[in-house]
């Protein structure tokens, strides 16, 4: 599936910047309407949809591989993969035996609700299933686009620097869950854990913050518990 970032091309050199702002506002409003449709579909079918966002290489796919192997057989699992190019991540997910749709955004820097709606139609996830959506690796654009997910998960690895929540506040503010990944590397780094927690709290007072290693599996039980709570809450309200 190829989907361009059409909105970047609306700008003509002679147009005033207020026109660009207007176009962007319209695109976001349209996205929000489609996201609301996705959300009501997920709610109606008791589907737990999680939007995984991070900088490139923070470990989204590695986390997914381990999570899928950990939850396989207990709950029905589906994945949507977003990248500018390649089907590498989808191949990694399929290798775990899970159904997956790869979306390539071309020049685009994020998934949007329309792309997700199409992928969901193709995947046809059943009632009570868990749908993981791996967004395009980027700490900026994906924060602005609601996909209709029930929870936004930001993966933040310990090699990225303690200041990132302050530099990319929109992403961290949007998070329901922050997974601090690659903690197996802490002995090799000078990473100030209390400071990073404080920085996350400065932009987001309520997000769950978990320390994990997608490589060693440390902290994964807490992550599974949060997914399970989502599934439980959904089933209870369905
Ligand atoms: N040491 C360590 N390495 C990790 C961990 N999680 C991921 N990695 C490594 O980090 C690199 C990037 O991991 P990916 O899972 O591909 O990251 P991603 O966020 O999916 O990347 P994009 O999809 O390209 O944005 C790989 O070399 C992984 O093996 C971890 O917990 N510890
Ligand atoms: Mg990936």
């Amino acid at each position: 599936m190829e989907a361009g970032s059409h909105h970047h091309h609306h700008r003509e050199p002679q147009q005033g910047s207020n026109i660009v702002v207007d176009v962007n506002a319209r695109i976001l409003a349209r996205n929000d309407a489609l996201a609301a449709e996705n959300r009501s579909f997920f709610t109606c079918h008791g589907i737990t949809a999680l939007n995984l966002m991070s900088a490139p290489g923070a470990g989204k796919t590695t986390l997914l591989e381990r999570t899928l192997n950990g939850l396989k057989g207990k709950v029905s699992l589906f994945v949507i993969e977003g990248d500018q190019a390649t089907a590498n991540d989808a191949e990694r997910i399929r290798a775990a035996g899970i159904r997956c749709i790869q979306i390539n955004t071309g020049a685009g820097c994020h998934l949007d609700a329309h792309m997700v709606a199409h992928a969901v139609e193709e995947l046809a996830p059943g009632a009570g299933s868990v749908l993981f959506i791996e967004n395009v690796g980027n700490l900026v654009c994906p924060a602005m686009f609601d996909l209709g997910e029930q929870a936004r998960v930001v993966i933040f690895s310990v090699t990225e620097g303690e200041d990132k929540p302050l530099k990319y506040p929109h992403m961290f503010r949007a998070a329901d869950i922050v997974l601090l990944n690659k903690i197996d590397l802490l002995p090799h780094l000078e990473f100030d854990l209390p400071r990073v927690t404080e920085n996350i709290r400065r932009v987001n007072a309520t997000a769950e913050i978990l320390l994990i290693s997608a490589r060693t599996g440390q902290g994964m039980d807490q992550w599974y518990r949060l997914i399970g709570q989502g599934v439980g809450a959904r089933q209870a309200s369905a």
Side-chain angles (χ1 to χ4, degrees):
M1 204 185 294
E2 174 85 18
S5 67
H6 40 279
H7 55 286
H8 294 305
H9 305 301
H10 283 279
R11 182 171 194 167
E12 303 293 338
Q14 68 272 25
Q15 283 181 333
S17 64
N18 54 345
I19 295 174
V20 175
V21 169
D22 191 49
V23 167
N24 284 338
R26 282 214 316 270
I27 286 162
L28 282 176
R30 193 172 138 68
N31 184 75
D32 285 349
L34 290 169
E37 286 180 27
N38 290 348
R39 185 164 285 115
S40 66
F41 173 84
F42 295 142
T43 306
C44 283
H45 293 82
I47 295 165
T48 302
L50 302 173
N51 181 5
L52 274 57
M53 299 180 280
S54 80
K60 298 178 294 301
T61 312
T62 309
L63 171 78
L64 274 181
E65 290 172 309
R66 183 174 277 277
T67 303
L68 297 169
N69 282 311
L71 297 181
K72 214 154 54 175
K74 295 178 185 140
V75 61
S76 163
L77 301 161
F78 298 87
V79 176
I80 297 170
E81 278 292 341
D83 285 289
Q84 285 203 324
T86 83
N88 293 355
D89 283 0
E91 280 157 22
R92 287 167 64 185
I93 299 305
R94 288 179 195 131
I98 302 299
R99 286 197 54 205
C100 176
I101 303 272
Q102 177 80 52
I103 298 171
N104 284 145
T105 57
C109 53
H110 61 86
L111 294 177
D112 65 31
H114 182 70
M115 298 170 191
V116 168
H118 275 291
V120 166
E121 207 174 294
E122 219 171 308
L123 280 175
S129 53
V130 178
L131 171 67
F132 295 99
I133 305 166
E134 178 177 340
N135 220 311
V136 178
N138 184 326
L139 275 180
V140 181
C141 319
M144 294 175 59
F145 285 80
D146 186 5
L147 304 181
E149 72 283 272
Q150 271 105 6
R152 295 173 178 207
V153 184
V154 173
I155 295 102
F156 175 36
S157 59
V158 294
T159 51
E160 292 172 48
E162 297 90 339
D163 59 345
K164 295 307 171 289
L166 304 179
K167 284 186 169 178
Y168 302 94
H170 298 284
M171 178 58 79
F172 285 87
R173 195 171 295 135
D176 298 297
I177 301 170
V178 176
L179 300 178
L180 193 55
N181 190 32
K182 308 196 187 182
I183 56 165
D184 58 291
L185 297 177
L186 283 176
H188 310 287
L189 306 169
E190 286 170 37
F191 188 77
D192 189 339
L193 268 181
R195 192 145 71 85
V196 84
T197 309
E198 187 190 311
N199 287 345
I200 295 168
R201 284 290 172 242
R202 278 171 68 180
V203 298
N204 188 322
T206 55
E208 296 269 0
I209 303 172
L210 303 185
L211 308 187
I212 64 159
S213 168
R215 170 153 300 166
T216 67
Q218 204 180 330
M220 293 295 285
D221 285 345
Q222 295 166 277
W223 163 233
Y224 294 156
R225 191 144 27 79
L226 286 182
I227 298 172
Q229 278 169 11
V231 173
R234 244 84 291 135
Q235 284 170 346
S237 67

